Amino acid sequence: MDATTLGSLLVGLGAVVGAVVAYVGKRGENALTGYSSLTNDLQEERDRLDTKVTELNAKLAEMSSLRAADQAEIARLRRLIPPGGEP
């Protein structure tokens, strides 16, 4: 085998290795892009859910204060009724 043939084989082998490296690199890039997109989607969903939980907590606090006011009114009205049930 002369030097020209050996050089040609090495160039061909280098081209194949370069193509494999480029293919694997592109797959890694695509995987990273997909991961970043998924991460962004999950963060947006988390932010929406945090907002919803905050709104529900505010509504729950409002309902709790209304219940406390109702309980106080019921207690006041019960004190107006004398023992025995006749007002």
Side-chain angles (χ1 to χ4, degrees):
M1 187 180 293
D2 61 348
T4 306
T5 307
L6 184 60
S8 296
L9 286 175
L10 288 177
V11 168
L13 182 62
V16 170
V17 168
V20 168
V21 167
Y23 175 74
V24 170
K26 187 64 177 174
R27 284 187 56 178
E29 180 184 342
N30 289 342
L32 184 60
T33 302
Y35 178 76
S36 296
S37 175
L38 178 62
T39 302
N40 289 339
D41 291 346
L42 288 173
Q43 288 173 345
E44 289 173 5
E45 183 178 355
R46 181 202 60 208
D47 293 342
R48 281 193 310 268
L49 290 175
D50 283 345
T51 303
K52 188 173 184 176
V53 166
T54 302
E55 291 171 359
L56 290 174
N57 282 339
K59 193 172 189 175
L60 182 62
E62 179 186 351
M63 294 295 200
S64 180
S65 67
L66 290 174
R67 182 178 186 274
D70 286 346
Q71 292 294 325
E73 179 67 11
I74 289 170
R76 185 187 71 80
L77 292 173
R78 283 187 177 155
R79 282 192 303 269
L80 295 177
I81 301 173
E86 295 293 324

